[in-house]
Amino acid sequence: MSAPSTMQWIRQAGQRIATGSGQLATHLVSRALHAGRRLWHRAADWLREASGVGWLLRLAVLIAAAALLRKIVIAIAAAVYARVEAGAAPWLMWGAAGLWVVASYRCGRDDWEPKQPSVPESPADGEQLADDTSPEPAVAQASAGPPPVSAVTLIATVRDIGTPHAQLKPIAEHLGTTTDAVRAAAAALGWPVKDVRMQGRSASAGLRWDECPSPAPLDPLPGVVGAGHPADDNDDDTTEEGPQKGVAVRRTNGGLIIYDLADTHRRRGIVGR
């Protein structure tokens, strides 16, 4: 590896670690808040189950447990701080720093998305869950998600934001969807997802423009007139067969011609490079 390439990699790695450090800190704080919220809901539910003297006894148990836990945490933190300050455990400081750098580098990827912890929300005061809830609404909520990305939209987006290739995260941000939806649309087209580079970004999963698939049309295109045949002056491109599903992409010297077979008016868009 040459010296300029090494320096460029070091700069990119430093920028990735700096970005990932902020994302990692935010993620850890969010996890801590979720854990505290979950513990609070469990304690409140436990108190809500009792009443009278039992409620007072449970409250005393919770207060005693909180005081004991506070003393344990303070003692452990003070002992660790004393050892680090005295230099008795240098491996502790360097080990923590090394783990943080590695975790920050992993979190600095362009397509990194934190795992959202599942927090069972308890019902608010005065609210009760209905006993006769049917499973249909739960199924509808589980299937809710971002709308699928059409093939025409995906190809046009890669052409618009690609340099010339486009990564999954910028495509998803441009379309207002998720990277999983972009992957599904690319898989439906047979467009392989590979590590690509974009201007101002490090290598990440994306789509190469020179590998854009060109599926053959299912029927002859009405706008294409063969040599020696008279041109059709009729502007009505509808057929008796009705609209069809799918997309047809044809390569020409001027670029890609995209045909949406579901459009009965046969709108054609030329995507040139």
Side-chain angles (χ1 to χ4, degrees):
M1 183 180 293
S2 60
S5 300
T6 303
M7 293 301 298
Q8 182 180 3
W9 182 85
I10 293 175
R11 286 195 299 267
Q12 292 179 353
Q15 182 180 2
R16 179 170 172 177
I17 291 174
T19 303
S21 181
Q23 294 180 351
L24 179 60
T26 304
H27 177 58
L28 292 179
V29 171
S30 177
R31 291 287 297 270
L33 291 177
H34 279 291
R37 188 178 181 183
R38 182 168 58 250
L39 183 61
W40 173 265
H41 282 304
R42 289 180 178 178
D45 293 339
W46 190 55
L47 282 177
R48 196 179 295 114
E49 294 175 356
S51 61
V53 179
W55 186 89
L56 293 176
L57 290 177
R58 292 191 178 190
L59 180 61
V61 170
L62 290 177
I63 294 176
L68 180 61
L69 181 62
R70 177 176 175 271
K71 289 184 177 181
I72 293 175
V73 171
I74 292 177
I76 294 176
V80 172
Y81 177 77
R83 291 181 64 86
V84 171
E85 185 182 16
W91 57 269
L92 186 61
M93 180 179 63
W94 291 108
L99 291 176
W100 183 271
V101 170
V102 173
S104 299
Y105 186 81
R106 294 184 59 185
C107 296
R109 298 196 314 267
D110 293 335
D111 57 348
W112 180 80
E113 295 180 358
K115 295 181 179 179
Q116 298 296 335
S118 57
V119 180
E121 298 291 343
S122 61
D125 296 338
E127 294 183 0
Q128 295 181 355
L129 297 178
D131 296 335
D132 55 347
T133 53
S134 58
E136 287 78 11
V139 174
Q141 292 180 0
S143 61
V149 180
S150 65
V152 176
T153 304
L154 179 60
I155 295 175
T157 302
V158 175
R159 189 266 174 221
D160 291 338
I161 69 173
T163 58
H165 315 309
Q167 296 176 355
L168 296 182
K169 186 174 183 180
I171 296 174
E173 293 176 353
H174 183 78
L175 297 176
T177 183
T178 61
T179 55
D180 292 338
V182 177
R183 284 181 180 270
L189 271 174
W191 200 341
V193 176
K194 300 180 179 179
D195 286 341
V196 300
R197 287 187 176 271
M198 291 184 66
Q199 293 180 0
R201 292 176 176 269
S202 58
S204 180
L207 302 174
R208 294 180 58 88
W209 176 253
D210 54 359
E211 294 182 359
C212 176
S214 302
L218 299 179
D219 57 353
L221 301 177
V224 180
V225 180
H229 295 275
D232 186 4
D233 295 335
N234 186 7
D235 294 336
D236 186 6
D237 292 335
T238 59
T239 61
E240 296 180 357
E241 298 177 357
Q244 302 181 13
K245 296 182 179 179
V247 60
V249 180
R250 174 167 297 183
R251 292 183 180 271
T252 63
N253 294 332
L256 295 177
I257 302 179
I258 305 172
Y259 299 90
D260 189 355
L261 301 180
D263 190 349
T264 57
H265 296 285
R266 300 295 188 186
R267 298 173 184 172
R268 294 177 290 274
I270 300 179
V271 182
R273 170 51 66 183

